[in-house]
């Protein structure tokens, strides 16, 4: 099994996958181009590359762990034993950039001070916006087999999608937004910010890991998982 | 038996631990290297606007609206009406919130 895998049976066992992929592609190209024009190359790398690396690891671990899988896509990437479609990784990079800037726009209207509290508020808003959109997207994706959750999974579900998935979305977007904003507003040079955004994934990843593990334990404790 | 991502990482800790330690060490080194300070520039969110048919819209709200419309269309074409309706209403909350907030801010500026 290589790092890149090609599937020649595009759309097998799925329905309406092509419009979904087209939508992500359009949004990704538009936002990367917009970010490049407005913020420059280095900031664009800082916004998009860390989340691509983080979600490649997380999604690959999710597939390798047998919780869900992605049928019918063309290009798959595999890093820890689970094949994840390239377009899903690109979609995650759009998620972070989009929700973080929506959070910035929203919070800038209600809290103008540029301090740590504002960073937390922006990240909370970004996480909530992300979950709101995923509550529409994930059930449709599961229904059309764009990704399939194992039916044997226990716990509360929202139209066959485990609630822990939505908590995972919030935790990932929240912590990645905090890290991105802290680095963005630091006084380091642009080159160092890019390097920090990638290396600090180890710290952000550890925080996400610990927080998510605690929530899973809490769910198990109260019998929801 | 499927595993959560946390369980998977714990089972493969010898793969993830070196990656994590390397990242933490590099981050600490980058933090304590002599600083080449740059004044932080705070961006002006007011420039993220576009005017379509005399309606002033935030770029990010517009992209969110585009995703929302496409997902609702796909949900309806899939004959998956109730989850699309419920999910669509929840996903519209950020849109409504941001549009109302923008409207109120503009009104308060005028008055």
């Amino acid at each position: 099994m290589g790092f890149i895998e090609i599937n020649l049976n595009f759309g097998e066992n799925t329905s309406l996958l092509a419009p979904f992929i087209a939508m992500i592609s359009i949004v990704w190209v538009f936002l990367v181009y917009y970010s490049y024009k407005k913020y420059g190359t280095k900031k664009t790398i800082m916004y998009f590359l860390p989340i691509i690396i983080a979600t490649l690891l997380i999604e690959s671990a999710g597939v390798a762990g047998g919780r869900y899988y992605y049928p019918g896509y063309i290009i798959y990437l595999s890093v820890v034993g689970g094949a994840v479609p390239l377009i899903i990784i690109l979609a995650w990079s759009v998620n972070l950039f989009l929700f973080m800037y929506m959070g910035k726009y929203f919070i800038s209207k209600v809290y103008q001070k540029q301090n740590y509290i504002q960073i937390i508020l922006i990240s909370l808003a970004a996480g909530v916006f992300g979950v709101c959109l995923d509550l529409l997207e994930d059930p449709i994706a599961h229904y059309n087999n764009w990704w399939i959750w194992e039916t044997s999974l226990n716990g509360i579900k929202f139209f066959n999608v485990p609630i822990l998935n939505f908590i995972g979305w919030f935790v990932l977007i929240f912590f990645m937004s905090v890290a991105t904003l802290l680095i963005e507003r630091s006084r380091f040079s642009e080159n160092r910010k890019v390097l920090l955004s990638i290396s600090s994934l180890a710290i952000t990843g550890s925080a996400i890991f610990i927080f998510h593990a605690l929530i899973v334990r809490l769910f198990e404790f109260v019998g929801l998982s | 038996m499927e595993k959560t991502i946390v369980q998977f990482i714990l089972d493969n800790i010898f793969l993830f631990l070196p990656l994590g330690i390397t990242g933490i060490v590099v981050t600490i080194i980058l933090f304590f290297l002599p600083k080449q300070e740059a004044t932080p520039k705070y961006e002006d969110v007011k420039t993220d606007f576009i005017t379509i048919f005399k309606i002033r819209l935030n770029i990010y709200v517009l992209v969110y609206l585009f995703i929302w419309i496409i997902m609702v269309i796909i949900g309806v074409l899939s004959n998956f009406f109730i989850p699309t309706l419920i999910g669509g209403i929840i996903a519209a909350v950020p849109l409504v919130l941001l549009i109302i907030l923008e409207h109120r801010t503009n009104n308060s500026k005028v008055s």
Side-chain angles (χ1 to χ4, degrees):
Chain A
M1 189 183 283
F3 174 67
I4 300 175
E5 294 170 26
I6 307 290
N7 171 30
L8 298 176
N9 299 316
F10 173 68
E12 64 173 341
N13 303 325
T14 65
S15 47
L16 296 164
L17 182 62
F20 174 66
I21 291 178
M23 177 194 73
I24 295 174
S25 306
I26 291 167
V27 170
W28 193 81
V29 169
F30 174 76
L31 285 182
V32 169
Y33 180 73
Y34 182 76
S35 172
Y36 168 72
K37 279 288 177 194
K38 189 170 181 199
Y39 305 111
T41 313
K42 286 170 187 170
K43 267 198 166 183
T44 301
I45 293 171
M46 198 180 86
Y47 290 138
F48 287 86
L49 187 59
I51 185 79
I52 284 175
I53 297 169
T55 50
L56 183 56
L57 282 165
I58 292 169
E59 291 278 357
S60 190
V63 174
R67 286 177 67 78
Y68 52 85
Y69 61 99
Y70 295 94
Y73 292 83
I74 302 171
I75 304 170
Y76 288 84
L77 305 176
S78 175
V79 286
V80 290
V84 186
L86 173 66
I87 201 78
I88 295 296
I89 304 302
L90 299 183
W92 265 113
S93 68
V94 161
N95 284 342
L96 179 68
F97 183 76
L98 177 64
F99 298 132
M100 191 176 75
Y101 268 94
M102 280 176 71
K104 272 185 183 182
Y105 172 55
F106 175 63
I107 297 301
S108 68
K109 299 278 183 196
V110 291
Y111 188 86
Q112 280 82 27
K113 282 183 189 172
Q114 297 204 328
N115 53 19
Y116 290 121
I117 295 169
Q118 197 199 39
I119 287 177
I120 298 293
L121 291 175
I122 290 170
S123 305
L124 283 171
V128 171
F129 292 161
V131 172
C132 284
L133 187 64
D134 192 42
L135 285 165
L136 170 66
E137 194 177 275
D138 235 294
I140 293 173
H142 179 73
Y143 184 76
N144 288 313
N145 290 351
W146 300 342
W147 51 89
I148 299 171
W149 289 92
E150 288 298 338
T151 47
S152 58
L153 289 173
N154 298 321
I156 312 174
K157 291 178 181 175
F158 179 77
F159 296 108
N160 291 323
V161 180
I163 292 292
L164 273 175
N165 166 69
F166 302 107
I167 293 170
W169 264 67
F170 177 82
V171 171
L172 182 60
I173 295 171
F174 173 78
F175 279 105
M176 287 301 295
S177 297
V178 169
T180 308
L181 290 167
L182 280 174
I183 294 166
E184 182 188 63
R185 292 182 180 184
S186 69
R187 288 172 172 269
F188 294 117
S189 65
E190 291 295 310
N191 285 339
R192 201 183 297 188
K193 282 181 185 176
V194 173
L195 290 173
L196 269 171
S197 70
I198 297 164
S199 69
S200 66
L201 274 176
I203 297 167
T204 318
S206 303
I208 292 169
F209 174 77
I210 293 166
F211 201 78
H212 200 252
L214 287 173
I215 290 171
V216 170
R217 273 296 158 98
L218 184 71
F219 266 60
E220 283 170 357
F221 182 72
V222 294
L224 295 176
S225 180
Chain B
M1 176 72 184
E2 62 281 339
K3 298 167 185 169
T4 64
I5 293 170
V6 171
Q7 286 166 335
F8 181 84
I9 291 172
L10 286 174
D11 287 351
N12 297 279
I13 195 71
F14 292 110
L15 174 69
F16 288 96
L17 206 58
L19 278 174
I21 291 171
T22 310
I24 291 168
V25 170
V26 172
T27 306
I28 292 168
I29 292 169
L30 285 169
F31 250 95
F32 291 103
L33 276 175
K35 282 184 183 174
Q36 297 167 292
E37 286 200 6
T39 313
K41 283 183 272 183
Y42 296 122
E43 73 269 31
D44 183 7
V45 285
K46 285 173 191 162
T47 55
D48 290 324
F49 284 93
I50 190 167
T51 306
I52 299 171
F53 301 119
K54 295 182 183 176
I55 301 167
R56 197 163 160 266
L57 286 165
N58 179 286
I59 290 276
Y60 306 106
V61 174
L62 203 65
V63 172
Y64 187 94
L65 180 65
F66 173 72
I67 297 171
W68 185 87
I69 290 168
I70 298 288
M71 287 311 300
V72 168
I73 290 171
I74 291 175
V76 170
L77 290 178
S78 311
N79 294 326
F80 196 46
F81 297 114
I82 301 295
T84 304
L85 180 68
I86 295 170
I89 290 168
I90 298 169
V93 170
L95 280 174
V96 173
L97 203 65
L98 289 169
I99 291 168
I100 289 173
L101 207 63
E102 175 63 22
H103 188 70
R104 282 183 65 176
T105 315
N106 284 348
N107 282 354
S108 63
K109 273 180 195 167
V110 172
S111 59

